Amino acid sequence: MARKKGHKPEAQFRHALDTCSKNNDLSGALALYESADAQNIHLSSYHFNSLLHILSASLQNLEDGDSRKDSAIVIAFRLFDRMVAAGETPTEATITTMARIAASRKDGGGDQAFDLVKTMGERYGATPKLRCYGPALLAFCRSGEAEKAYSVEEHMVSKGILPEEPEIAALLALSAKEERADKVYGYLQNLRSSVGRITPSTADVLEKWFTSGSAVEAGTLNSELDRIKYAILMNGGGWHGLGWLGKGRWEVCRGTVSREGNCSCCGHRLACVDIDHSDTDRFSVSVASLAMERETRANFKNFQEWLDKHASYEAVIDGANISLYQQNFADGGFSLSQLNAVVVEIQQRSHGKWPLIILHNKRYRLLLETPSNRQLLETWNSAGALYATPNGSNDDWYWLYAAVRLKCLLVTNDEMRDHIFELLGRSFFPRWKERHQVKYTFAKGHLVLKMPPPYSLVIQVCIPYGFDFLALSDILPLVSRFPQESETGSWHMPLDDNSATDESSRIWLCITRPASSGFVGVGFSNVINAEVGQAVEASPAAKENRNPQPSVECHGFTSTSTGKRKKRDLHELNSSE
């Protein structure tokens, strides 16, 4: 009883501190801190971090010049120093909070915040994250200290941390203000490679830059075509990275893209850009590694070996997701008829080829007890279209790995937001889903498949008009290699706008330089045409169809944009070269 009573002041102190944190009560928290010594309360790292969090939150509501702001910053650093002196080691979260507090200081705040992050490993053994760098970076961007902002970015990259859209947008705005065209170009490339859709605020930054006098002057009229060609090939395709091409005024327009992929501003057709095969291979290795950490290793290894021998599927089907769709009613259950409807539709779209159906073994055994179900399951089994995952397994790992490993489509309505998918990261995985996931509905009993869009919702350019040979099967392998920067340096950027009711109403930023800008773009197309002309001329599609603006039915099981045909086309193209 005495022990419980002795702990009562500490418990009351923590409860009161949590209440202050919840209500963002700075004065109450500081009063508690001052009373801690009088009550002989030992302050733990939890107490220090809570007090620092309250101080950090309160600073957001105080203007520069307010004496309370300066006082709060001083108190925060006294607390931090006392925390370290007491032997409580600051964590990465502590350093991030202190960096935010330091960055709120008008004079020298960015320097202090950056110093905290640069030395956190050496002093406290803490590993920095992106959020640690944000306060210093944004402070330097606000104050116009360009070189210091660039040094923050260089330091984070040296630690293997890449900036995301908020950081890139701030650096873009700063570089545009400083008329640093080279830096704007570099950060635009960062945006292209790391962000699929840009926020409206980032679009405003880019629009301001491209309509500025500095953007008009940025570029060169004497680009060497062979050098551009070599740079694109060395970079693996998609961009040359040699800077602004041409000179002159940019035309900036906000428009929409039709369901077929045509830009309403310039009329160009956007590309269906799949993910690089080497990136996908690395992704499949990552999925397999995580799966074997959480599944019985032998079971998943058996699946990998089985899949190596059955690698011709163009679609993988999440059987449970489809069979349980809208079955939450009195007589609902596991609807094998729904699953069969999807299988039949996919099979028809792929000209008779069977998809791979993933079902859990427990479910499979139960279904075998019904004669009508047994007949259908035996049909799938004999066709090699069914894989029953072993008892105790999570079939999510199996259908995801199969779709990634085979570079094919995945039919599921699963949003893939569970904890297992969070382990895969947020850069590559969303892009993969966008290009490979097929969703479905049953409208009044009739199946409707929602295929991936016929163009990619990423920063890109159109298929250049200079490619004038072309049928769809000829274009798409090249688009995968040259998808982003056109010969005149034009850009199309989708906005991340939640108000869009469907993709045809999404706003895109269209940024083009008229042909009169002086750069010989047709010559660049000729360079690329010369490289692949022989291979394209040899293809039957090229002889039959030379329409320069082909229609695109991406992922309709006839397109070469993903799956096995794309791989074959790329192989043929490379062999011809």
Side-chain angles (χ1 to χ4, degrees):
M1 197 67 163
R3 185 178 179 183
K4 201 181 264 188
K5 187 175 181 181
H7 280 271
K8 191 173 182 181
E10 282 78 5
Q12 289 178 336
F13 181 86
R14 176 161 179 163
H15 176 74
L17 185 58
D18 289 344
T19 302
C20 290
S21 180
K22 181 179 179 180
N23 299 327
N24 197 24
D25 181 3
L26 176 60
S27 59
L30 294 178
L32 274 174
Y33 170 61
E34 291 172 0
S35 70
D37 289 337
Q39 298 181 66
N40 198 28
I41 293 175
H42 170 72
L43 295 178
S44 67
S45 59
Y46 177 86
H47 299 133
F48 284 115
N49 282 320
S50 294
L51 288 164
L52 291 172
H53 173 75
I54 296 169
L55 282 160
S56 176
S58 67
L59 287 170
Q60 298 175 13
N61 303 317
L62 299 175
E63 300 290 336
D64 288 337
D66 189 326
S67 60
R68 293 176 298 171
K69 184 172 186 177
D70 296 333
S71 176
I73 294 172
V74 170
I75 293 170
F77 275 91
R78 285 178 183 169
L79 267 171
F80 181 72
D81 291 341
R82 179 174 174 179
M83 178 181 183
V84 174
E88 301 289 349
T89 304
T91 63
E92 174 273 326
T94 310
I95 302 300
T96 299
T97 300
M98 290 306 303
R100 289 170 182 159
I101 292 170
S104 64
R105 178 175 282 159
K106 186 176 181 181
D107 298 320
D111 293 304
Q112 194 171 18
F114 190 26
D115 183 66
L116 280 164
V117 178
K118 284 191 296 184
T119 60
M120 62 190 291
E122 179 184 344
R123 290 180 178 177
Y124 313 115
T127 302
K129 295 182 180 179
L130 175 60
R131 64 180 183 177
C132 302
Y133 289 95
L137 179 66
L138 298 179
F140 290 139
C141 288
R142 285 193 302 269
S143 61
E145 298 175 273
E147 295 307 322
K148 290 183 178 180
Y150 299 148
S151 68
V152 174
E153 188 227 355
E154 289 170 5
H155 192 275
M156 73 166 72
V157 171
S158 73
K159 298 295 183 182
I161 300 170
L162 298 179
E164 295 182 358
E165 185 176 2
E167 294 78 27
I168 297 173
L171 289 163
L172 274 169
L174 174 65
S175 301
K177 185 178 179 181
E178 296 293 313
E179 300 182 346
R180 294 286 301 272
D182 58 329
K183 287 292 187 180
V184 172
Y185 181 82
Y187 291 126
L188 189 54
Q189 288 289 353
N190 287 356
L191 199 66
R192 174 194 64 80
S193 62
S194 62
V195 178
R197 281 152 274 195
I198 59 174
T199 61
S201 60
T202 301
D204 291 340
V205 170
L206 292 171
E207 190 167 9
K208 188 175 180 180
W209 158 255
F210 280 104
T211 55
S212 69
S214 300
V216 172
E217 294 300 318
T220 176
L221 299 178
N222 299 313
S223 298
E224 298 176 17
L225 300 182
D226 288 341
R227 181 166 168 257
I228 296 171
K229 170 192 172 186
Y230 179 77
I232 290 178
L233 294 176
M234 289 301 292
N235 287 329
W239 60 286
H240 50 72
L242 297 177
W244 304 109
L245 301 180
K247 279 185 181 290
R249 177 179 55 85
W250 293 88
E251 292 182 355
V252 182
C253 171
R254 294 192 181 213
T256 57
V257 173
S258 70
R259 296 183 189 279
E260 294 74 27
N262 295 319
C263 175
S264 65
C265 295
C266 65
H268 285 19
R269 185 181 293 274
L270 301 188
C272 184
V273 183
D274 197 10
I275 297 166
D276 184 83
H277 277 262
S278 60
D279 288 340
T280 307
D281 288 338
R282 284 192 291 270
F283 185 49
S284 69
V285 171
S286 174
V287 173
S289 176
L290 287 168
M292 283 192 282
E293 288 178 8
R294 287 155 179 80
E295 297 287 308
T296 302
R297 189 179 184 88
N299 288 341
F300 198 80
K301 191 69 175 175
N302 288 339
F303 176 63
Q304 287 181 295
E305 293 172 355
W306 180 89
L307 200 61
D308 287 340
K309 298 174 183 177
H310 302 77
S312 61
Y313 304 104
E314 294 187 356
V316 174
I317 294 178
D318 177 2
N321 182 268
I322 295 167
S323 299
L324 294 172
Y325 177 74
Q326 291 185 341
Q327 293 299 305
N328 54 340
F329 55 90
D331 296 324
F334 196 86
S335 177
L336 204 61
S337 62
Q338 282 186 175
L339 177 55
N340 187 48
V342 173
V343 172
V344 170
E345 177 66 18
I346 294 295
Q347 188 182 22
Q348 289 176 351
R349 286 177 179 248
S350 56
H351 307 291
K353 290 191 68 174
W354 285 94
L356 172 60
I357 309 156
I358 302 292
L359 272 180
H360 197 281
N361 185 58
K362 183 178 179 180
R363 183 72 64 179
Y364 172 72
R365 294 297 178 189
L366 288 172
L367 290 169
L368 283 176
E369 295 176 2
T370 305
S372 58
N373 290 341
R374 187 185 310 119
Q375 183 178 0
L376 184 57
L377 292 171
E378 288 174 353
T379 299
W380 292 346
N381 262 328
S382 61
L386 178 64
Y387 190 92
T389 60
N391 292 341
S393 65
N394 183 344
D395 52 356
D396 290 2
W397 286 116
Y398 289 77
W399 51 251
L400 176 61
Y401 174 76
V404 175
R405 169 70 179 80
L406 301 180
K407 301 180 178 67
C408 66
L409 297 169
L410 171 63
V411 187
T412 181
N413 279 355
D414 195 318
E415 294 295 341
M416 292 178 261
R417 292 173 181 158
D418 295 343
H419 66 282
I420 69 165
F421 303 112
E422 290 175 1
L423 297 170
L424 300 171
R426 56 180 178 175
S427 57
F428 184 92
F429 192 38
R431 290 189 290 129
W432 182 88
K433 285 196 298 180
E434 183 178 81
R435 299 311 316 141
H436 292 265
Q437 185 176 8
V438 178
K439 294 187 177 183
Y440 61 89
T441 59
F442 286 90
K444 297 182 179 179
H446 296 288
L447 171 66
V448 178
L449 293 182
K450 183 180 179 183
M451 308 301 289
Y455 56 90
S456 300
L457 297 174
V458 295
I459 298 172
Q460 59 164 290
V461 297
C462 65
I463 299 170
Y465 284 127
F467 292 94
D468 55 0
F469 34 81
L470 296 175
L472 179 61
S473 60
D474 304 315
I475 288 178
L476 288 173
L478 298 179
V479 171
S480 298
R481 293 174 58 189
F482 307 102
Q484 305 295 344
E485 263 182 294
S486 74
E487 65 268 36
T488 56
S490 62
W491 301 85
H492 286 81
M493 306 180 184
L495 269 64
D496 191 5
D497 184 6
N498 292 329
S499 65
T501 55
D502 57 43
E503 288 308 327
S504 62
S505 63
R506 181 183 298 279
I507 300 298
W508 285 67
L509 202 61
C510 171
I511 306 167
T512 57
R513 234 172 188 165
S516 59
S517 61
F519 180 69
V520 281
V522 175
F524 179 51
S525 293
N526 289 339
V527 170
I528 300 176
N529 286 344
E531 179 192 1
V532 297
Q534 183 178 0
V536 172
E537 188 65 33
S539 73
K543 295 176 181 177
E544 294 175 6
N545 184 357
R546 294 177 180 271
N547 179 6
Q549 292 293 322
S551 61
V552 176
E553 186 185 349
C554 194
H555 293 292
F557 293 87
T558 58
S559 166
T560 58
S561 59
T562 62
K564 308 303 174 185
R565 260 190 83 184
K566 177 180 174 185
K567 190 172 182 179
R568 290 196 297 270
D569 288 346
L570 284 169
H571 175 73
E572 290 168 5
L573 179 64
N574 292 331
S575 299
S576 299
E577 292 173 351

